[in-house]
Amino acid sequence: MNSDQSWQAMVASTIRDVEELCNVLDLDLTAQPFTQFSLKVPRSYVDRMVRGNPKDPLLLQVLPSPEEEARASGYSEDPVGDLNARIAPGVLQKYAGRVLWMPTSSCPVHCRYCFRRHFPSEPFDQEKAFEHLEQHPEIHEVILSGGDPLMLSDARLANLFERLETTMQVQRLRIHTRMPIVVPERVGNPLLGLLARGRLQKIIVLHTNHPQEIDDQVIFACRAMKKTGAILLNQSVLLRGINDNFQTLANLSERLFSIGVLPYYLHLLDPVQGSSHFFSHPAGLMEEICAVLPGYLVPKLVREVRGERYKVFRFDSHESWFLPQT
């Protein structure tokens, strides 16, 4: 796999200009509106898009749209109550027994439906984070999110991992990341060594929405992480025109499982302002998926509700539960 410097160079060379992206993909699209949430997409991810197809499911996840400027009822800039759960810079406490740390606000890709697209960027207060652990011995799991925690260098990750190893109340380290999907070269020997070492159980929660995202490099990266003993899970977001049909989601589950990743969550879209055009009602979707897949390949359909003590999930298609809350 590539070196630490190599993946960082790949991230640094991401496409940030709509015109350049369209030229690479042989597309003739009208100019996109100004948006505070800029375009950012790695070239390795663009390589998996189909040239000349303006409806490519990977392209639609990253291309700015005029629809983002619309204000939608029931959508907000803090859709899941992150700001109220903030106890220190980069530290969120929502659920019992686990705490979420955001050691970086940086991501390798800007997904247009991102529920933290309006979240204020702030430096992570590592000392406050560890103080919070000391004050709450009931916390047994630390979740690294962001941003994307794998945007940190291997040296910074090693420092964080080593300190957590000595915090004996912590039993599990969960890492939520899109990096192995959009820049699989990130999964090099230094990172694999960090995942393999130590007493902590490592859980890697990937974010994959479409089987087209999984190419040979992604397969190699996932299998390498699996060999370290880490548990690999996947969560997807239900997105209109991208993966909101049972066949695409069934194919995604099959493909993930074949490379050692277990389907975990299928998230209903978090109602963040600028994303309403991605909303898709899952009426009958889970029933269709269950009809073609064994139960262990069926992800839980969930939504995160502000103030709830856990992710809420259900199987049926009750209209009021799936609509954005006002």
Side-chain angles (χ1 to χ4, degrees):
M1 301 296 282
N2 289 28
S3 68
D4 189 58
Q5 291 75 19
S6 179
W7 73 260
Q8 289 177 329
M10 295 182 74
V11 170
S13 68
T14 55
I15 295 176
R16 298 172 181 266
D17 179 75
V18 171
E19 184 176 356
E20 180 184 1
L21 178 61
C22 291
N23 287 339
V24 170
L25 293 174
D26 299 324
L27 293 172
D28 183 17
L29 300 179
T30 56
Q32 304 299 312
F34 170 80
T35 174
Q36 291 182 326
F37 192 49
S38 60
L39 170 73
K40 184 179 182 183
V41 55
R43 295 176 190 275
S44 61
Y45 191 71
V46 175
D47 288 343
R48 286 166 255 171
M49 299 176 186
V50 176
R51 269 58 180 168
N53 181 10
K55 299 296 183 183
D56 181 89
L58 277 58
L59 174 65
L60 293 178
Q61 294 182 55
V62 301
L63 184 68
S65 164
E67 295 174 291
E68 295 179 33
E69 304 303 307
R71 302 292 294 183
S73 176
Y75 289 74
S76 72
E77 294 188 351
D78 183 25
V80 297
D82 277 353
L83 290 176
N84 287 338
R86 178 185 174 278
I87 59 170
V91 182
L92 304 183
Q93 180 72 64
K94 286 187 178 182
Y95 305 133
R98 50 210 187 273
V99 66
L100 187 144
W101 292 357
M102 295 186 289
T104 177
S105 60
S106 182
C107 277
V109 62
H110 285 174
C111 302
R112 309 314 302 175
Y113 51 85
C114 177
F115 71 99
R116 289 197 179 117
R117 58 185 290 167
H118 303 291
F119 196 82
S121 177
E122 58 184 6
F124 173 57
D125 192 330
Q126 184 168 309
E127 295 309 312
K128 290 284 187 183
F130 277 97
E131 283 179 19
H132 182 70
L133 281 181
E134 293 173 2
Q135 295 164 4
H136 294 272
E138 75 279 7
I139 294 176
H140 301 302
E141 180 173 358
V142 170
I143 303 166
L144 301 185
S145 183
D148 193 311
L150 294 191
M151 287 288 283
L152 298 178
S153 68
D154 292 318
R156 288 189 63 191
L157 281 175
N159 176 270
L160 194 59
F161 282 26
E162 288 165 8
R163 190 164 176 185
L164 281 169
E165 284 285 342
T166 65
T167 308
M168 298 310 295
Q169 73 188 73
V170 179
Q171 300 300 312
R172 297 180 300 277
L173 175 60
R174 194 191 327 169
I175 302 170
H176 283 242
T177 178
R178 191 141 162 78
M179 182 73 89
I181 303 303
V182 298
V183 186
E185 292 81 2
R186 174 66 183 92
V187 184
N189 290 329
L191 177 61
L192 294 171
L194 287 175
L195 295 176
R197 289 198 300 270
R199 63 175 183 84
L200 292 173
Q201 175 67 69
K202 314 295 196 316
I203 303 103
I204 312 295
V205 183
L206 301 170
H207 176 184
T208 321
N209 294 319
H210 195 280
Q212 188 178 320
E213 293 178 310
I214 303 173
D215 66 358
D216 289 344
Q217 284 284 82
V218 172
I219 292 171
F220 188 91
C222 288
R223 288 179 173 165
M225 290 189 292
K226 183 77 171 177
K227 288 179 181 178
T228 69
I231 295 172
L232 270 59
L233 306 175
N234 184 71
Q235 57 182 9
S236 305
V237 179
L238 185 64
L239 300 167
R240 184 197 301 173
I242 293 171
N243 62 6
D244 59 340
N245 66 84
F246 83 93
Q247 195 59 65
T248 297
L249 291 171
N251 290 345
L252 176 59
S253 286
E254 293 273 16
R255 190 148 172 77
L256 286 166
F257 191 70
S258 73
I259 60 173
V261 183
L262 189 67
Y264 172 46
Y265 278 163
L266 174 60
H267 275 272
L268 201 68
L269 180 75
D270 289 317
V272 63
Q273 281 292 357
S275 72
S276 60
H277 55 293
F278 285 111
F279 177 77
S280 180
H281 193 289
L285 184 64
M286 298 308 294
E287 293 88 341
E288 290 184 285
I289 293 173
C290 287
V292 298
L293 289 180
Y296 57 87
L297 291 187
V298 178
K300 287 182 180 179
L301 179 64
V302 299
R303 76 177 304 174
E304 185 167 355
V305 179
R306 182 196 305 265
E308 290 286 351
R309 294 182 299 167
Y310 47 83
K311 296 278 197 311
V312 181
F313 67 93
R314 59 188 298 159
F315 181 81
D316 60 45
S317 303
H318 190 272
E319 185 76 19
S320 63
W321 186 81
F322 288 112
L323 294 175
Q325 304 297 301
T326 56

